[in-house]
Amino acid sequence: MVRTVTTSDEDASPRPRKTNTKIKAEKGKAKAREPEDGGSPKGAKRSRVNEEGDSIARDEEEAEGQDEEQGEQAEPVTRIKTLPRGKDGYIPGSIVRIHLRDFVTYDEVEFRPGPYLNMIIGPNGTGKSSIACAICLGLNFPPATLGRATEISAFVKNTAKTAHIEIELKGAEGEKNLVIRRNLTAGSRTSTFTLNGQQASGKEVSARVAKLNVQVGNLCSFLPQDKVSAFAAMTPIELLRETQRAAGDERLESWHQTLITDGKELRVLKLKIDTDEATVRQLRERNENIERDVQRYHDRKRIEHEIAFLNVLIPLQAYREIRTEYQDAKALQRVHHNRVTRLQQKNKPAHAFLQKLERQFGDLHNERETAKKALRAAIKQVETKTASSDKLENDAEEVQSKLANLKKVEKARQAAIKNHEADIVKFTEQIEKASEVKMEKEADVQAERNKLIAEYNAGSNDGDMRRCEQSMNDVKHRKSQNQRREEAAQRELKSLDDAGAVKLQNLIRWDRDVGEAVRWLRNNKAKFKMEVFEPPVLSVTVPNKAFATLVENCFGGNQMKMFVCQCQEDYNTLNHHINDNPGLGRKAHIPTWCRPGSEADLAPPPMNREELKARGFDGYALDFVECPDGLKWYLQKDLNMHRTAISLKGIKDVQGAIEAVSRGSTGANFMEYQTIHQVQRSKYGRKEVMSTTNRVRPGRNFSGNTQVNTQDKQRIDGEVAMCKQEMRELVETDRELGEEYSRLKEIKKQHETAKEAFTERLKKIQNFISQKRSIERKLESAKQKLEEAKSKGDTVQQAAHYRAKILDFAKKRVIYVTEAVELARQVIDEQVKVTNLGLQYLQIGAKKAALKELVDQRDQKHLAAVAEYNKANEKFAKLKERSKEIMAESKEVLANLPAEMSEEYQRMEAARGEHETAVKEAVKAGREPPQPGDDVDMRTTVQLQAELEKQQADLEMNMNTNPGVVEQYEKRKRDIEQHEKSIEGMQNSANKIERKIKIARDNWEPALQALVKSIGEKFSQAFDRIGCAGEIRIRPEEAYENWAIDILVKFRDTEKLQLLTGQRQSGGERSLTTILYLMSLTEEARAPFSLVDEINQGMDQRAERMVHNSMVNVTCKDDSAQYFLITPKLLPDLTYHRRMKVLCVNNGEWLPDEGGLGNMMNMIDAYVAKNPRRQQ
């Protein structure tokens, strides 16, 4: 039984209230309704914008892009929080009346809540929460919304078989109220509905309720008692969605759903685009690899066709050219023949007169030459006489010179005699002085020297020195060897302390071939074109040793020892030197690998980074290694380390991880804690997922196991000590040998000094003897020169002889001069005769030359004409013969021409014929001849021949290509075109979706931010009032379905703002946060009514009082919607408002059975009627 109490009579009959909120119809909506009402005049669908901001598809696809870019931005509208309030104070959709029969704890009850805050109070178990259940079920919301019983029959009272719920909702403006009745049957899962007394289906009820914007299924609007904890446990993502449904712009949810749907579709499209683009890149790369061969094939075919066609054109063009030349030569030969004949008749008289002058000129020439000879003979005689006279003059001058020099010679002879006599005296005195000097005998000194040498040689000093020196060299060699041994041992000892060297030593102990191959590779890097990577056991490191064991389990034995090459050439070189030939000095075998490719060929990781972290994995195996970039290709291609997920601590959902890594056609591995999971798909049947597990084997290579081998260190230390001891002994021996060698060297030095003294004595004796002999030779020479000077005769007789000769020369010269003068007179007579003949000769010659010039001019024209005629005639004959030969060749070529080439030739000839006709007509009409078109081949034979040679050279350079390669190329080309068309279509779709997303986001995000900002300000203010802190934030994500609202709260000064969760805060803190959030949301709510059930449970009195007062203030404003607050208890001295209504639930065994007896309002009305004076 329910009893109601109002705080004033005003609430029982609320007065009509005016609202300032006006509805502004959106243009897009108005246009959207036109076709539905009357249809378009042209019968075609028009582009519209629906409430979600999405563009509705149109039949005219060509207008899609334009319509999407124009006018799709939703116009701002004045948001209506609730439907207009009615005259009775109720908002359409709010609850006017509730009637229950045999429902849970109630036999029968009916009450009317107020249009504002309704506080439902009563002891526990009286049925307060049953009212919330009745509202939920009566409006056809599922039982799961309440969090209680899942079957609707469970809400029928235990003592009854049937029950019903009847709820009267305020109707829209101008419509009557909506009365919904739901009939329940015990033991049955079904129920029936009536709307305003008429049978109806659940869908019809839900549709009418949704039209009034009732949101019982939204925890932000309807929070039953058993769902209070569920609100705090809501994820931030769910909170955002529920908030959108409850408050703000009514299109928020539809916009968000558009973003989610289109965002997913866009990601799928982009993935498909990326896949197809990768396929296109791969096909293009393959085609690019053989594109040169294909182009060579097409070039070869084109060149072969060009050569064949040129072989046709060349003889035909040659015949055309030779025929033209033949016709031109024939016309030219006729012209030259006529000219020769005409010039020959014209030149005959001049030739006769020229012959007469030539005879006269010849006779005068002979006479003139005879006179010249006589003149030259006379001149020669004169010259002979003159030359004889000149010779006698020269002889006389020479004798005269000798006579003058005779006195000087005598004076020089006397001086030489005196000098020679003085030298004889000087040299004689030097010899006498040298004879007085006493010198040792050379033989005696030499004998003493020989004796000294014999005595030294008889000893063993030199032999001892050689033996000592040899011993010193041996010691020096042994010291060098010992030093090298010690340095090698030191290096080996140092290498034991180096991690890389320790790894190499461990590798050699593990596999000697691989270890020595590493050393060989380091010493022979120059043999390779690119870097060859050492085995992963050396070149791969794991910085974080915690992951070392799991990473090492990605490798097999051979994979850990693999030599990785980056190109086929290096792969062949390495195998040639190591595996095929004894490059290590013996037969060996090492594993090698080479697989050129690109990352586009790799299967992508099975999970993205977000999913990987969400499932508890630390990352993929490749994330935890360091190695050269080129080696990563091997780790991805052969070991799939980029697809092998790793977790150190283990994961909770192993089955989920198996399903995640099994996506696609290939499986993958993952490791968690001490277990390796190998997941793959069956190759047969339904390709089921198969999974096997193995224990993680202990690691030994990447886990830092680089300890020094103790035995090796002891061995090397001993070798170093032995080398140092031996070095000390060798140094001592070297010192003793040095002292002995110095003693022997001193003895030899003394011997060499004594021997040098004897050598000096011998040298002094020899120098004395040599000087004495030199003086004796000089004395003999001086005596001989003296005798020669004295032996020369007297000069007086010679002078007389010279004077006689000079007189004889003068007499002979007089005779020669007389004869020369007589001969000169004869020369003058001959010269006069020659001059006269010369003048006659010149006169006749001038006449002949003038006539000759005239005749030659005429003959030159005639001879030139004859030469030109001969040349033209010869050319004519040759061209005539040649044209016959080429014509025969041309006919043969045309006869053997293939059909397709014949058609091509005929087209070319037709075009050429038309051009030549046009040229002739233009020339005949005096116009400029037209230029040949592209289809007219005007090349000459030389040009054609040059082109043929060029094409033949190109053909020789073009190697023959397999036609199968061309077929593969063309097939891939078609595949690329198909993929590109597909990519273009998908890209267009993606662009359209991106535009839709942009439009929806431009509408949704500002509206959402404005809503959250409004709620957040009220939420923060409410927390400030109780001395705590609260904040609401939007958390954007790349995927729109992951956008969320985070509620951050702080209840103590020592804390920081923390995210509200179902575990972090206490029950009271969660309840307080929940009610404050709902209160902040109330002013923005669109639902006609909201309900919270026992939200104050767990709150302290201060918080509960603040919440109650705030709720009264918020829910009793003029524009507030209907609100239900269910609570079992109330604090004293709370704030109340005239608009709120308190519903007291009084239920139990002692209530009267008659209906209406317990109605407090009836009792109050009866009391007032009986005591009218009390009203005054």
Side-chain angles (χ1 to χ4, degrees):
M1 183 174 183
V2 178
R3 299 184 181 182
T4 63
V5 177
T6 60
T7 57
S8 69
D9 294 335
E10 183 180 353
D11 291 324
S13 57
R15 293 173 295 175
R17 299 171 57 248
K18 296 182 180 179
T19 176
N20 295 325
T21 304
K22 298 181 180 180
I23 300 175
K24 181 178 179 182
E26 184 183 353
K27 293 181 179 179
K29 293 182 179 179
K31 291 183 179 178
R33 294 191 182 97
E34 288 176 4
E36 296 174 0
D37 297 336
S40 173
K42 297 183 179 180
K45 294 182 179 179
R46 300 182 52 148
S47 177
R48 305 175 306 195
V49 178
N50 60 19
E51 293 182 354
E52 290 77 19
D54 302 332
S55 175
I56 300 177
R58 348 175 340 165
D59 292 341
E60 297 85 5
E61 294 181 357
E62 65 275 6
E64 284 181 1
Q66 181 179 359
D67 290 344
E68 286 174 355
E69 295 175 1
Q70 298 178 358
E72 292 205 12
Q73 186 72 27
E75 296 183 6
V77 298
T78 302
R79 186 178 60 78
I80 302 172
K81 296 183 179 179
T82 58
L83 296 175
R85 192 178 297 274
K87 294 180 179 180
D88 54 359
Y90 289 89
I91 292 172
S94 57
I95 300 174
V96 177
R97 179 178 60 87
I98 299 176
H99 180 265
L100 306 176
R101 185 178 62 80
D102 294 328
F103 183 80
V104 192
T105 60
Y106 295 100
D107 293 330
E108 186 173 6
V109 65
E110 181 176 302
F111 61 93
R112 295 178 179 272
Y116 295 97
L117 174 62
N118 292 275
M119 183 179 294
I120 302 175
I121 60 174
N124 291 328
T126 56
K128 300 183 303 298
S129 297
S130 297
I131 296 174
C133 297
I135 294 173
C136 173
L137 299 178
L139 298 178
N140 196 27
F141 285 90
T145 306
L146 301 169
R148 292 190 171 187
T150 58
E151 298 294 337
I152 195 169
S153 59
F155 292 90
V156 178
K157 192 172 183 179
N158 292 333
T159 59
K161 295 182 178 180
T162 61
H164 75 251
I165 306 167
E166 186 173 283
I167 299 176
E168 182 178 350
L169 299 179
K170 174 65 177 178
E173 187 176 3
E175 299 180 4
K176 63 180 181 180
N177 291 351
L178 182 65
V179 179
I180 302 172
R181 178 168 179 165
R182 187 171 191 176
N183 299 305
L184 311 178
T185 304
S188 174
R189 296 182 179 180
T190 61
S191 61
T192 60
F193 288 91
T194 62
L195 285 175
N196 294 329
Q198 302 294 324
Q199 289 291 330
S201 64
K203 289 183 178 180
E204 291 175 340
V205 171
S206 297
R208 295 294 297 273
V209 168
K211 188 174 181 181
L212 294 172
N213 201 23
V214 174
Q215 297 185 21
V216 173
N218 187 347
L219 291 179
C220 294
S221 300
F222 191 88
L223 188 61
Q225 178 182 357
D226 297 297
K227 287 289 186 175
V228 173
S229 60
F231 182 89
M234 271 198 308
T235 65
I237 296 173
E238 294 171 343
L239 180 61
L240 181 140
R241 295 186 179 182
E242 296 299 328
T243 301
Q244 287 182 151
R245 291 176 56 202
D249 195 311
E250 61 270 15
R251 295 170 293 179
L252 277 172
E253 188 175 8
S254 60
W255 284 334
H256 190 196
Q257 188 59 41
T258 298
L259 290 172
I260 294 172
T261 305
D262 290 345
K264 290 180 179 178
E265 185 179 354
L266 181 61
R267 289 196 294 273
V268 172
L269 270 177
K270 286 188 174 181
L271 180 61
K272 290 181 180 178
I273 290 172
D274 292 342
T275 303
D276 282 6
E277 286 179 345
T279 303
V280 169
R281 283 196 303 273
Q282 185 178 9
L283 292 174
R284 278 209 180 103
E285 288 173 359
R286 292 181 180 176
N287 266 11
E288 286 172 1
N289 292 334
I290 63 171
E291 189 169 5
R292 189 174 298 173
D293 294 337
V294 174
Q295 185 61 38
R296 219 171 16 239
Y297 175 83
H298 290 310
D299 288 346
R300 185 175 183 85
K301 290 298 181 183
R302 178 185 55 77
I303 292 170
E304 289 174 350
H305 175 78
E306 287 290 331
I307 290 173
F309 200 66
L310 285 171
N311 285 328
V312 173
L313 293 180
I314 288 173
L316 296 173
Q317 181 62 26
Y319 173 70
R320 185 181 290 110
E321 292 176 0
I322 201 71
R323 184 170 174 273
T324 302
E325 291 180 18
Y326 165 74
Q327 292 173 348
D328 294 343
K330 182 177 180 181
L332 186 61
Q333 185 250 15
R334 293 291 93 200
V335 171
H336 288 315
H337 180 270
N338 296 333
R339 186 182 179 193
V340 168
T341 303
R342 186 175 65 256
L343 291 174
Q344 187 175 9
Q345 295 298 325
K346 186 177 180 181
N347 293 344
K348 279 185 179 182
H351 275 284
F353 185 64
L354 180 61
Q355 289 175 359
K356 179 181 178 181
L357 290 177
E358 285 179 348
R359 285 193 297 271
Q360 292 177 0
F361 185 77
D363 293 342
L364 287 173
H365 176 71
N366 292 334
E367 292 178 7
R368 183 168 172 260
E369 289 298 322
T370 302
K372 278 183 173 182
K373 288 179 181 180
L375 177 62
R376 282 196 292 271
I379 293 172
K380 187 173 183 182
Q381 289 178 357
V382 173
E383 291 174 350
T384 301
K385 296 299 182 181
T386 304
S388 299
S389 175
D390 293 340
K391 183 176 183 305
L392 288 174
E393 183 180 7
N394 293 333
D395 291 343
E397 289 176 355
E398 184 178 355
V399 173
Q400 186 68 33
S401 176
K402 288 181 179 180
L403 180 62
N405 291 332
L406 189 59
K407 294 179 180 181
K408 296 179 181 179
V409 170
E410 179 61 21
K411 185 177 180 181
R413 188 177 69 84
Q414 292 298 329
I417 290 172
K418 289 181 180 180
N419 291 334
H420 292 324
E421 288 176 346
D423 290 339
I424 290 172
V425 173
K426 183 180 69 172
F427 291 147
T428 302
E429 290 176 354
Q430 290 179 354
I431 291 172
E432 290 176 354
K433 289 181 180 179
S435 300
E436 294 176 359
V437 177
K438 293 183 180 181
M439 292 296 297
E440 294 179 296
K441 292 183 179 179
E442 184 178 2
D444 294 342
V445 175
Q446 185 67 40
E448 291 181 10
R449 181 176 182 276
N450 292 340
K451 181 180 178 182
L452 177 66
I453 293 172
E455 289 176 354
Y456 179 79
N457 290 339
S460 62
N461 192 75
D462 285 350
D464 292 343
M465 281 186 68
R466 286 192 296 271
R467 285 189 293 274
C468 186
E469 187 174 1
Q470 180 65 37
S471 298
M472 290 173 67
N473 289 335
D474 291 343
V475 170
K476 182 178 180 181
H477 180 66
R478 289 173 59 193
K479 284 171 66 180
S480 177
Q481 286 184 328
N482 186 75
Q483 185 176 1
R484 286 196 297 271
R485 284 169 49 206
E486 183 178 358
E487 289 175 351
Q490 291 287 1
R491 285 195 300 271
E492 188 175 1
L493 185 62
K494 183 179 178 182
S495 68
L496 288 178
D497 298 329
D498 182 64
V502 171
K503 283 185 177 182
L504 182 58
Q505 291 296 331
N506 292 338
L507 177 60
I508 292 174
R509 284 194 293 270
W510 181 17
D511 191 319
R512 179 187 173 194
D513 290 352
V514 173
E516 292 184 358
V518 170
R519 290 177 174 173
W520 181 91
L521 177 63
R522 292 175 180 176
N523 296 327
N524 294 272
K525 291 183 177 180
K527 296 182 182 292
F528 299 94
K529 182 178 179 182
M530 302 176 69
E531 183 181 2
V532 175
F533 299 108
E534 295 178 1
V537 67
L538 300 178
S539 55
V540 174
T541 58
V542 183
N544 190 343
K545 299 305 178 185
F547 294 95
T549 299
L550 294 179
V551 170
E552 186 171 340
N553 275 263
C554 295
F555 293 84
N558 272 347
Q559 292 170 333
M560 188 68 78
K561 297 182 290 184
M562 189 71 68
F563 288 81
V564 178
C565 303
Q566 299 187 75
C567 64
Q568 189 67 33
E569 181 179 346
D570 290 347
Y571 177 77
N572 295 335
T573 301
L574 183 61
N575 283 315
H576 171 76
H577 286 287
I578 305 299
N579 290 331
D580 301 337
N581 294 289
L584 303 180
R586 56 184 175 80
K587 190 174 182 180
H589 180 75
I590 61 172
T592 57
W593 187 91
C594 178
R595 300 285 191 280
S598 64
E599 293 190 1
D601 301 331
L602 298 173
M607 295 176 281
N608 57 34
R609 293 292 174 178
E610 291 75 11
E611 183 179 0
L612 194 70
K613 296 297 182 184
R615 293 191 178 277
F617 287 104
D618 298 296
Y620 290 108
L622 192 64
D623 301 336
F624 305 105
V625 303
E626 290 183 356
C627 65
D629 291 339
L631 189 60
K632 284 187 178 180
W633 169 248
Y634 166 69
L635 303 182
Q636 293 173 302
K637 180 69 175 177
D638 204 54
L639 303 182
N640 276 331
M641 290 181 65
H642 67 298
R643 304 184 75 244
T644 302
I646 288 179
S647 174
L648 283 179
K649 299 180 180 180
I651 57 175
K652 297 179 180 179
D653 187 5
V654 175
Q655 185 60 38
I658 292 174
E659 293 175 356
V661 302
S662 64
R663 295 168 185 162
S665 58
T666 60
N669 300 340
F670 66 91
M671 305 180 189
E672 47 99 16
Y673 191 49
Q674 293 294 326
T675 305
I676 302 174
H677 296 266
Q678 297 174 333
V679 182
Q680 58 184 353
R681 287 188 176 274
S682 172
K683 298 181 180 178
Y684 309 98
R686 298 170 59 186
K687 301 185 182 300
E688 297 290 343
V689 176
M690 299 182 296
S691 174
T692 58
T693 59
N694 293 294
R695 295 288 295 174
V696 172
R697 64 179 185 274
R700 66 173 186 174
N701 294 302
F702 294 156
S703 57
N705 183 20
T706 56
Q707 297 180 354
V708 177
N709 188 303
T710 306
Q711 295 180 353
D712 289 345
K713 190 172 188 306
Q714 291 176 351
R715 173 182 60 78
I716 297 171
D717 287 338
E719 187 172 351
V720 170
M722 184 176 65
C723 289
K724 289 183 178 179
Q725 177 63 30
E726 186 176 350
M727 179 61 76
R728 287 193 293 270
E729 295 174 357
L730 289 173
V731 169
E732 180 63 24
T733 303
D734 189 33
R735 184 188 63 76
E736 294 174 355
L737 289 173
E739 293 176 353
E740 178 65 16
Y741 184 78
S742 299
R743 185 184 67 78
L744 294 173
K745 189 175 181 180
E746 183 62 28
I747 294 173
K748 184 171 183 178
K749 182 179 179 182
Q750 294 173 0
H751 168 71
E752 291 295 332
T753 303
K755 190 170 67 171
E756 186 65 26
F758 280 109
T759 302
E760 290 295 327
R761 290 168 61 190
L762 289 173
K763 187 182 295 184
K764 185 177 181 182
I765 293 171
Q766 291 170 354
N767 288 339
F768 177 79
I769 295 171
S770 175
Q771 291 175 359
K772 185 177 180 181
R773 288 176 181 174
S774 175
I775 295 170
E776 291 174 349
R777 287 194 297 274
K778 290 178 180 179
L779 178 61
E780 291 297 325
S781 175
K783 289 178 179 179
Q784 291 177 359
K785 291 179 179 179
L786 179 62
E787 291 297 328
E788 291 176 356
K790 289 180 177 181
S791 64
K792 293 182 179 179
D794 194 2
T795 60
V796 177
Q797 294 179 355
Q798 290 182 353
H801 176 69
Y802 287 153
R803 292 188 187 96
K805 288 183 71 174
I806 291 171
L807 180 61
D808 184 54
F809 289 153
K811 293 178 179 178
K812 290 181 179 180
R813 284 187 64 205
V814 170
I815 295 171
Y816 286 144
V817 169
T818 302
E819 292 176 351
V821 170
E822 184 63 29
L823 290 172
R825 292 191 183 96
Q826 293 178 7
V827 168
I828 293 172
D829 294 338
E830 292 295 333
Q831 182 63 49
V832 171
K833 182 179 179 181
V834 169
T835 300
N836 291 332
L837 290 173
L839 291 173
Q840 295 177 13
Y841 177 78
L842 292 174
Q843 185 176 6
I844 296 299
K847 291 180 179 180
K848 182 180 76 68
L851 183 60
K852 177 67 174 173
E853 184 178 359
L854 179 60
V855 171
D856 285 346
Q857 289 178 358
R858 294 180 178 181
D859 284 350
Q860 187 67 30
K861 293 180 180 179
H862 176 261
L863 292 175
V866 172
E868 290 177 358
Y869 169 76
N870 292 335
K871 183 178 179 182
N873 188 55
E874 183 181 0
K875 182 179 180 182
F876 167 72
K878 289 182 178 179
L879 289 174
K880 183 176 182 181
E881 186 64 28
R882 180 61 180 156
S883 64
K884 291 180 180 179
E885 295 174 359
I886 295 178
M887 182 174 66
E889 293 177 5
S890 300
K891 289 181 178 179
E892 184 178 356
V893 168
L894 290 174
N896 298 327
L897 199 62
E900 63 277 4
M901 200 173 292
S902 176
E903 292 177 359
E904 184 177 356
Y905 173 73
Q906 293 299 332
R907 288 194 300 270
M908 184 181 295
E909 282 301 302
R912 185 185 184 108
E914 293 175 359
H915 173 68
E916 290 176 349
T917 301
V919 170
K920 290 178 182 179
E921 292 176 353
V923 171
K924 185 177 180 181
R927 300 191 306 271
E928 184 178 354
Q931 295 296 325
D934 295 338
D935 56 345
V936 179
D937 192 346
M938 300 299 292
R939 288 180 292 179
T940 63
T941 304
V942 175
Q943 292 173 333
L944 292 172
Q945 188 65 42
E947 181 65 20
L948 176 61
E949 293 174 358
K950 177 181 177 299
Q951 295 294 342
Q952 287 175 339
D954 291 346
L955 185 63
E956 291 177 1
M957 295 295 293
N958 191 314
M959 299 176 64
N960 201 0
T961 303
N962 184 3
V965 174
V966 180
E967 293 178 3
Q968 293 177 7
Y969 178 85
E970 295 298 335
K971 182 180 180 301
R972 290 196 192 109
K973 193 173 180 181
R974 291 191 298 271
D975 292 343
I976 289 172
E977 291 175 355
Q978 292 176 357
H979 281 294
E980 286 178 341
K981 289 180 181 178
S982 175
I983 291 171
E984 183 180 2
M986 288 189 291
Q987 189 62 53
N988 291 336
S989 299
N991 293 338
K992 294 176 183 176
I993 294 173
E994 285 176 345
R995 287 195 293 269
K996 290 174 63 178
I997 288 175
K998 183 179 184 303
I999 293 169
R1001 181 166 180 169
D1002 289 346
N1003 292 324
W1004 174 68
E1005 188 173 358
L1008 178 63
Q1009 289 176 344
L1011 172 63
V1012 173
K1013 180 181 179 182
S1014 175
I1015 297 172
E1017 290 174 352
K1018 299 177 179 65
F1019 185 75
S1020 298
Q1021 292 170 4
F1023 265 84
D1024 290 341
R1025 286 195 293 270
I1026 61 173
C1028 301
E1031 186 177 330
I1032 298 174
R1033 301 174 185 169
I1034 295 177
R1035 174 156 44 91
E1037 297 286 348
E1038 182 178 0
Y1040 291 104
E1041 60 268 24
N1042 295 330
W1043 278 54
I1045 290 179
D1046 291 334
I1047 299 179
L1048 295 97
V1049 293
K1050 184 179 77 169
F1051 292 95
R1052 284 163 284 278
D1053 294 336
T1054 57
E1055 294 179 348
K1056 295 182 180 180
L1057 284 172
Q1058 294 180 335
L1059 187 68
L1060 177 68
T1061 65
Q1063 298 80 28
R1064 182 175 289 137
Q1065 287 80 17
S1066 65
E1069 292 171 344
R1070 291 198 301 272
S1071 297
L1072 177 60
T1073 303
T1074 300
I1075 190 60
L1076 291 180
Y1077 183 83
L1078 293 178
M1079 286 169 50
S1080 303
L1081 186 66
T1082 298
E1083 295 185 39
E1084 302 290 337
R1086 297 192 308 271
F1089 67 85
S1090 302
L1091 179 146
V1092 291
D1093 187 0
E1094 297 192 18
I1095 193 64
N1096 54 348
Q1097 295 297 318
M1099 293 185 192
D1100 57 22
Q1101 292 187 7
R1102 180 177 65 90
E1104 186 175 352
R1105 185 179 303 279
M1106 186 279 300
V1107 167
H1108 174 84
N1109 295 338
S1110 297
M1111 181 172 289
V1112 170
N1113 292 332
V1114 169
T1115 58
C1116 292
K1117 293 181 179 180
D1118 291 344
D1119 57 352
S1120 297
Q1122 189 178 47
Y1123 209 95
F1124 292 90
L1125 173 62
I1126 301 175
T1127 178
K1129 62 186 178 69
L1130 287 176
L1131 297 174
D1133 301 325
L1134 293 176
T1135 299
Y1136 293 93
H1137 196 278
R1138 296 176 49 142
R1139 290 196 177 101
M1140 67 182 291
K1141 193 171 188 178
V1142 179
L1143 302 174
C1144 298
V1145 180
N1146 187 9
N1147 197 357
E1149 296 180 358
W1150 303 104
L1151 293 177
D1153 294 332
E1154 298 179 12
L1157 291 180
N1159 192 318
M1160 185 172 291
M1161 289 304 300
N1162 293 339
M1163 295 171 64
I1164 293 173
D1165 292 340
Y1167 177 80
V1168 170
K1170 292 179 180 180
N1171 301 282
R1173 294 179 181 179
R1174 296 294 183 103
Q1175 299 180 36
Q1176 298 178 353

